[in-house]
Amino acid sequence: MSKNEVLKGLFLVGLGATSYGMLATFVKLAYNENFTTAEVTSSQFIYGILGMLIINGFQKLKSKQPVINASKKNIVQLMLAGTSLGMTSVFYYLCVKYINVSIAIVLLMQTVWMGVLLEWVLDKVVPSSKKITAVIVVLLGTILATNMTSASSLQVDWRGIFWGLLAAASFTTTMFTANKIALGVSSAQRSLYMLLGGAVIVFAFALFTQNTPFNFEIFYKWGIFLALFGTIIPPILLNAGFPKTGIGLGSIISSLELPVSVLMAYIILGEKVVFIQWLGIVLIIAAIVIMNTHFKKK
């Protein structure tokens, strides 16, 4: 692959990760206007599904060759995988409700070690010394990035920690399954059916938790932003960029989500981020680099 293609892939992955990084700040802003988690997630998934339907229709019209349609088996598999995507949104937004965005994104990045653990349990792949080192660095970085060493850590709402770790676990499941099923189907189709599966979880959550009249203002105030930066732009850019960069290099660039999310929270929400937290964020990114860099033996 040419150098220009790799650079193009890096740009696409970086832009996709940046979009994801902006998402939690929009959720927090919606919460500040008294919108509920049910309203936030429902609007995001409804707009996301509509967007993906339009993109799929456009691809079919534009393509000169017949588009490979997902089989019934593919659709069922993708929708089942999508349920964990829906859970990720619900859990992560509940997490953001109780704690700062700068801490919530660090908790979501625990997918680094959770992915290693899941691979070990399900695929029987014993983690290498490099991966074990990366996991230790992530855990150390998490302690610093969440500022757990200070007295102020005792004031953190532990409900946020709980939901944040659940979000990381469900997101790990999403990544693990999404990379194994219906790989011959277009990324737009895969995204659509996974969103449909996630919508089942989101709508069920809304049905059981929304105890006030649904505020439809969410659709024209924040719904479009949430869908664009959460369910439309990132999957398209990441699916287009990763084949050009490869999983290793792509994973390193996608870690941009972490500093972007913290910066957005710092600039727009005015969240306090101290030096030790930035140090922890650097360590987590370093761990991702360690896991995805191949060192040549002399």
Side-chain angles (χ1 to χ4, degrees), residues 93-162:
Y93 295 173
L94 284 171
C95 170
V96 170
K97 187 176 182 179
Y98 294 112
I99 61 177
N100 287 351
V101 169
S102 53
I103 296 177
I105 186 63
V106 170
L107 294 174
L108 189 64
M109 296 302 287
Q110 301 311 298
T111 52
V112 175
W113 66 263
M114 288 183 181
V116 173
L117 183 62
L118 193 65
E119 188 180 46
W120 188 7
V121 173
L122 296 183
D123 287 349
K124 310 300 180 186
V125 177
V126 179
S128 63
S129 56
K130 183 172 69 173
K131 286 186 177 180
I132 293 171
T133 302
V135 166
I136 293 169
V137 174
V138 165
L139 295 174
L140 178 60
T142 301
I143 292 171
L144 297 177
T146 53
N147 205 14
M148 289 175 65
T149 54
S150 72
S152 62
S153 65
L154 299 174
Q155 300 172 3
V156 175
D157 194 321
W158 288 97
R159 288 175 295 181
I161 304 292
F162 172 75

Side-chain angles (χ1 to χ4, degrees), residues 199-212:
V200 174
I201 299 297
V202 167
F203 296 156
F205 171 79
L207 185 66
F208 286 103
T209 62
Q210 186 73 11
N211 49 23
T212 58

Side-chain angles (χ1 to χ4, degrees), residues 36-240:
T36 65
T37 305
E39 290 162 352
V40 168
T41 52
S42 295
S43 64
Q44 177 183 333
F45 271 74
I46 288 172
Y47 274 132
I49 290 167
L50 288 173
M52 281 301 171
L53 282 170
I54 292 169
I55 290 167
N56 274 282
F58 181 74
Q59 283 188 346
K60 285 184 178 181
L61 289 173
K62 186 181 176 182
S63 179
K64 295 179 181 179
Q65 296 179 343
V67 176
I68 299 173
N69 291 317
S71 65
K72 288 183 179 179
K73 182 181 178 182
N74 289 153
I75 292 170
V76 171
Q77 289 176 331
L78 287 167
M79 287 187 69
L80 283 173
T83 57
S84 61
L85 183 65
M87 290 179 192
T88 302
S89 294
V90 170
F91 295 154
Y92 188 47
Y93 295 173
L94 284 171
C95 170
V96 170
K97 187 176 182 179
Y98 294 112
I99 61 177
N100 287 351
V101 169
S102 53
I103 296 177
I105 186 63
V106 170
L107 294 174
L108 189 64
M109 296 302 287
Q110 301 311 298
T111 52
V112 175
W113 66 263
M114 288 183 181
V116 173
L117 183 62
L118 193 65
E119 188 180 46
W120 188 7
V121 173
L122 296 183
D123 287 349
K124 310 300 180 186
V125 177
V126 179
S128 63
S129 56
K130 183 172 69 173
K131 286 186 177 180
I132 293 171
T133 302
V135 166
I136 293 169
V137 174
V138 165
L139 295 174
L140 178 60
T142 301
I143 292 171
L144 297 177
T146 53
N147 205 14
M148 289 175 65
T149 54
S150 72
S152 62
S153 65
L154 299 174
Q155 300 172 3
V156 175
D157 194 321
W158 288 97
R159 288 175 295 181
I161 304 292
F162 172 75
W163 291 119
L165 291 174
L166 274 184
S170 58
F171 190 44
T172 303
T173 305
T174 301
M175 292 191 297
F176 193 80
T177 55
N179 288 323
K180 291 180 177 290
I181 56 175
L183 298 180
V185 181
S186 70
S187 60
Q189 280 191 73
R190 295 173 79 240
S191 297
L192 173 61
Y193 291 121
M194 287 186 73
L195 278 176
L196 288 171
V200 174
I201 299 297
V202 167
F203 296 156
F205 171 79
L207 185 66
F208 286 103
T209 62
Q210 186 73 11
N211 49 23
T212 58
F214 194 95
N215 189 348
F216 289 95
E217 288 184 6
I218 187 69
F219 284 99
Y220 63 82
K221 280 195 171 182
W222 295 108
I224 294 175
F225 288 104
L226 295 167
L228 281 174
F229 291 100
T231 51
I232 297 176
I233 293 175
I236 292 172
L237 293 179
L238 294 175
N239 283 324

Side-chain angles (χ1 to χ4, degrees), residues 26-40:
F26 292 131
V27 174
K28 202 75 167 181
L29 290 170
Y31 281 153
N32 290 343
E33 295 184 13
N34 296 318
F35 290 109
T36 65
T37 305
E39 290 162 352
V40 168

Side-chain angles (χ1 to χ4, degrees), residues 1-2 4-10 12-13 238-247 249-250:
M1 189 173 289
S2 69
N4 286 339
E5 282 293 294
V6 174
L7 287 173
K8 183 181 177 182
L10 291 175
L12 292 171
V13 172
L238 294 175
N239 283 324
F242 266 100
K244 300 179 188 299
T245 63
I247 295 296
L249 187 55

